Amino acid sequence: HTHIYTVEQVKLLDRFSNKSVTGTLHLTATHLIFVESNSTSAQEIWILHHHIASVEKLSLTTSGCPLLIQCRNFRLVHFVIPRERDCHDIYSSLLRLLRPVSYDELYAFSYNPKQNDQEREEGWQLIDLAAEFERMGVPCDQWQLTDVNREYKVCKTYPRDLYVPITASKPIIVGSSKFRSKGRFPVLTYFYQEKKAAVCRCSQPLSGFSARCLEDEHMLQAISKANHNSRYIYVMDTRPKLNALANRAAGKGYENEDNYSNIRFQFVGIENIHVMRGSLQKLLEVVGTRSLSMTDYLVGLENSGWLRHIKAIMDAAIFLAKAVTVEGASVLVHCSDGWDRTAQVCALGSLLMDPYYRTIKGFMVLIEKDWISFGHKFADRCDQLDPDPKEVSPIFTQFLECVWQLTEQFPQAFEFSEWFLIQIHEHVHSCQFGNFLGNSQRQREDLQLKERTYSLWAHLLSEKQNYLNPLFSPSVAESHPVLEPSTQAYHFKFWRNMYNQYDRSMHPRQSILKHVLTLQESKRELEGTVQALKTKLQKFGVSTSPLKPQTPPRERSLPPRPQSLILGAPLLSRKEVQQEEDKEVFGEEAREDAPASTGGERTVEGSSATENGYGELMGSFGSKNEPGVVTLEFGVARMTC
Amino acid sequence: MELSEHIKTANVEDVTLRRPFHPALRGTLCVTSHHLLFSDRKDEASWQLLILLKNIDAIEKRAVGSSGTITIKCKDLLVLQLEIPGMEECLNIASSIEALSSLESVTEMYPFFYRPSHLTLNGPWGLSSTEQYYKQTERLWDRWRVSTVNSDYSVCPSYPSAVIVPREVDDDKLIHSARFRQGGRFPVLSYCHHRNGMVIMRSSQPLTGANKKRCKEDELLLQAVIDGSELGYIIDLRSAQQAQQARMTGGGFESKSFYSHWKRIHRHHERGKVVQESLIKLVEACSDPSHSVDRWLSKLENSKWLSHVHSALSTAGLVVECVERDGHSVLVHGSEGTDNTLLVSSLAQLILDPASRTVTGFLCLLEREWIQAGHPFQQRCAHSAYSHARLKQECPIFLLLLDCVWQVWRQFPLALEFSEALLLRLAQEVYASNYGTFLCNSEQERCAAGVKENTHCLFQSLLRPDIEEQYLNPLYEPTDLAIWPSVHPQSLQLWTGLFLRWTEYAQNMEEAREEVWSIVKEHHEQAGPDRTNNTLSTHCDTLTSFENLMDELTIL
């Protein structure tokens, strides 16, 4: 890393208490790094420039110049820099670094995980969408691959390979694409083999108040005919009816049931990107409030509307899954341009129908198909380059949250745990890997991403064991392939581990998930060792009768907890854990597995009193950690030494 | 009047029973003095439902043609429907249920009739007594003593006959202090911290009144607690304003000038009717499946239940902070000292004391801090969330305690030896039980009614090895550390296990729990028959000896 700047004696403030730590701030070409100077606990915070959403310089205080940094992964850091000069320098350098003007400046193009070209290529070959369609049973007697978009001539934002009904000829396709916003004509995205029912996606028709297009009508007819199970297809417009009506005035709109034979038209009412952006902003404001009361929290949660939007997406996906699996009908999904709400509903609906998408590999395939290849505008939505604030919106985050809500309802149905979702979210914004760069496949090819960057999926698969859900049961998937989630309001919960993921004081101190994972991991290791020893023993001609333990059992330490809440950190081996413990117990937050013999503060990790907000007492703690006498006046405690 | 005289129709055939998420069943309905029995009378595998009449909180009757429907709403939040052919039978059954479910006389209640063959009435009742607790707790011997000043319950009717007080304070001073405290609840020891000897005391409010009366003995008693020079905290569970107002009605607070070594902190806690209404609103919100997300959140907020959970845990955290981190003793009280006081002092102990996190330890804690300390169970738990009866003294403070314990368990799933199942069982037993444990309002009343001689003890029965196993937490790994829960609103959740117990929600969670069980069990089994918690280290040790052996062999 090219070092640009170093400032000593910088304070890092906790956002929920008055606690602070002092350390050194380094600015490099790619990261902002804070290293705590306290040598015993010495936490390091690495912030990728791409993760930074905004930098704010607050007005000078007696202790220095405050710098407030908000990140897209919901981290919020508050530095106080002693000299204003330094603060200003960091601030202006960051502003410059935050606004990359060309793709070449993104981290992905300089990131090198020490892999050779072949390994990189293999990484990119992990996900193969042609193979995925084959898995679904396409091409088949009713659906075929079309080369109409081979040169991106019909639709710039679609992938090259598209699947359409056998009966849809090229003129029909081209005609239909001209009648659809951005040329995004109806194509296959998921095929439910059991009932030969298809899930198709497109953008809104350019119908205005009365326009019609025979080719488009033929196209829908062809989709309908490709499914002998049902005489009609559903057309789901995922927008609220009012929005669709308003679009008619601009020459767009929705399908007129009179013009299309055998369609059943349905609005499902998911709000647009601007509403979602505003909603998330409100949500983050609420959950970032200091000494938040329960009432303000619940009222704020309600007023943000966030969970209502999540439920709307879920409702739409459930409608889709039911139509396909129960009625055996094909469904065509669209919104305005067919790359936001449509992607959400198609992807989530497929996930409900097909257990494969609930595995780690399958989930990658699903994202690659419905989001990346079909042109969800990651660059615009996630603010990668030259941002237009009006284009930014947490559409993909909502999808990840819907999946999380499902993992909560069906603890055994998913191969992955929430850490997998959170890690994906992290990298959608990190621009460290090539997968999510740009807005469309065509753009990605122009950027030569496969030659110049690495694939996230290979990276995630290499640390797969960190993302496993120990409760996953493939047999449950076999007996209940289609998930039927309940949409009762109380099932929709706030995702604390996402939106407050960096606020460590808030998280449960012990995790069943990690505990069970560790048990399984060590079991595997031990079994391996036992096997190896047995074979060795046999070599010596010793019979392998079970030995009784000769030493009394020791106190066993609790499973290791990775330092980062992004539990992407690999499970530590026992030896490392021991070192970790030795290092950490002297810090202010003793770990849950601190050996009782050491003299560390005897509280469980992260739950040191100052962080928990027991009201007034914590409100006025200074930064001093030494135990002192508490004096109280009018019920307010203060620390004195 | 004999109980049986309330029963005009004892048996009805052809009754249809409807329960949530189960198919309707036809069978026979039977009313006895204490139970409602439904049996589907199939030849093989007959299925029965037995409900304690005391468990029934409210019933609603409706006539449909010549038959009637009775909706039964239980205190454990289950709602049932019975379709009874014949209007007269229906009305008879309904009136029997109404009369028999609201018995006032303790000795007529079912625990006095419950005589299972595997239990005998002889032998000690309960898990422990004040004297036994004192004997077992060596750290108390030096500075504390057991006082039997209340042996005839005349000093404080709601205290047990023996209490623990500072050694240097004689009984005479206690009597004076008792006169100065509401209901005679003078400051007594609740917990002595094993790491630094600091204590949690509890009492009721001092009766300073409008004239700022003082009581020398009370001051000396508290002075003796903190041993002269140090500093103690009084956590007053009312707002400063409420404490001021209490003076108008004869109550009050410890003034700074007379208790110079004590610092007062006020924390507002809702009590009585407000908390009861919270429960009613919450249960109502949970039982309407048609709510939109917005409406649900608004109803959840409006019930304020989670706010009560939040304040209880926060104040308990504050107490722990004083005791554990800053090394000061604490006196907790509100007004009467029988509700929120007990809630806060027992939660603080759960956070501080590893001994109270085992099954036995937790039940002992409940016995000491709730049963013996005189929480008026009979008044507080007369009705639950469905009753239309006019509220008198009902208040689900004990349920609130269980909810808070559940929140701690959520955040420290490895630290408690018991599982959610125990909390759910207690939530049910406290309202309607075969056992005498939760009967009456105080030890004095229990004595007078002969509870200990004529009923069985719930806690003893829960600790029988075959029963206890159902309530164990498979992940339990004892830790000596204090377990401070996070009290950010984002960290607290609705206790779905209780409030959504009878919805489809429970099922998937149950399956997942079983899966965790089986994974952990597999490990226990590998550890060998001794089933130690230290499975992995046992393995490691085995392997080390293996390896040593290997090395020797190699050398040979």
Side-chain angles (χ1 to χ4, degrees), chain A residues 209-482:
Chain A
F209 289 102
S210 58
R212 54 189 290 190
C213 165
L214 285 178
E215 289 92 339
D216 195 60
E217 287 159 27
H218 275 136
M219 188 75 193
L220 266 64
Q221 191 90 51
I223 293 173
S224 176
K225 277 193 185 140
N227 179 358
H228 303 302
N229 269 322
S230 170
R231 289 191 298 108
Y232 51 85
I233 65 168
Y234 282 99
V235 176
M236 280 174 77
D237 190 326
T238 53
R239 300 168 293 183
K241 185 168 184 184
L242 207 64
N243 299 21
L245 282 172
N247 262 303
R248 287 208 306 197
K252 300 165 188 172
Y254 55 93
E255 291 81 357
N256 183 341
E257 267 180 295
D258 300 337
N259 297 340
Y260 295 84
S261 53
N262 307 330
I263 72 163
R264 294 197 173 179
F265 188 83
Q266 181 83 28
F267 286 112
V268 288
I270 303 173
E271 298 288 350
N272 65 25
I273 59 168
H274 312 293
V275 175
M276 300 307 191
R277 180 176 56 238
S279 172
L280 180 63
Q281 234 156 33
K282 280 189 208 158
L283 179 80
L284 293 178
E285 239 162 69
V286 172
V287 301
T289 311
R290 246 187 187 203
S291 21
L292 179 65
S293 75
M294 186 55 83
T295 297
D296 291 344
Y297 167 65
L298 291 173
V299 169
L301 207 55
E302 181 195 343
N303 288 344
S304 76
W306 183 256
L307 290 176
R308 180 175 36 142
H309 300 313
I310 295 295
K311 181 173 184 297
I313 298 164
M314 196 81 96
D315 282 335
I318 292 169
F319 179 90
L320 169 67
K322 272 211 181 117
V324 172
T325 59
V326 179
E327 291 182 52
S330 294
V331 182
L332 175 65
V333 184
H334 73 73
C335 47
S336 297
D337 289 321
W339 51 42
D340 293 313
R341 290 168 269 206
T342 303
Q344 286 176 331
V345 173
C346 289
L348 198 62
S350 314
L351 183 99
L352 291 177
M353 290 186 266
D354 195 332
Y356 175 63
Y357 295 133
R358 305 195 286 264
T359 64
I360 287 187
K361 179 83 183 293
F363 193 64
M364 295 173 175
V365 169
L366 183 67
I367 292 175
E368 194 71 42
K369 172 168 71 77
D370 269 312
W371 292 89
I372 297 175
S373 88
F374 277 116
H376 174 68
K377 301 201 291 175
F378 279 105
D380 290 356
R381 299 290 178 262
C382 303
D383 202 7
Q384 288 169 356
L385 200 67
D386 190 22
D388 174 359
K390 285 220 166 95
E391 283 285 311
V392 178
S393 189
I395 301 302
F396 187 70
T397 310
Q398 286 185 317
F399 165 67
L400 292 178
E401 175 165 342
C402 288
V403 177
W404 175 78
Q405 301 279 2
L406 288 172
T407 64
E408 285 286 289
Q409 271 198 52
F410 302 97
Q412 293 187 275
F414 291 81
E415 194 193 0
F416 48 84
S417 68
E418 66 178 320
W419 302 114
F420 184 57
L421 302 172
I422 291 174
Q423 193 69 351
I424 291 173
H425 182 264
E426 181 88 357
H427 284 297
V428 165
H429 293 93
S430 72
C431 300
Q432 184 175 348
F433 296 93
N435 308 58
F436 299 104
L437 299 190
N439 284 324
S440 66
Q441 287 299 60
R442 188 181 163 196
Q443 199 182 1
R444 282 177 203 111
E445 283 173 21
D446 290 346
L447 288 169
Q448 296 175 294
L449 289 180
K450 292 195 178 178
E451 290 78 47
R452 300 170 63 200
T453 71
Y454 294 85
S455 167
L456 170 66
W457 307 131
H459 169 72
L460 290 181
L461 277 180
S462 73
E463 43 187 50
K464 183 176 171 182
Q465 79 279 5
N466 291 334
Y467 307 123
L468 289 175
N469 167 16
L471 303 183
F472 174 55
S473 157
S475 64
V476 169
E478 256 166 54
S479 54
H480 299 90
V482 180

Side-chain angles (χ1 to χ4, degrees), chain A residues 547-556, chain B residues 527 530 532 534-548:
Chain A
L547 279 185
K548 283 267 170 251
Q550 290 169 355
T551 43
R554 286 173 286 157
E555 180 78 7
R556 200 178 83 70
Chain B
D530 52 347
T532 146
N534 306 317
T535 318
L536 293 176
S537 58
T538 316
H539 271 288
C540 290
D541 293 335
T542 317
L543 290 180
T544 322
S545 49
F546 251 125
E547 270 164 359
N548 292 341

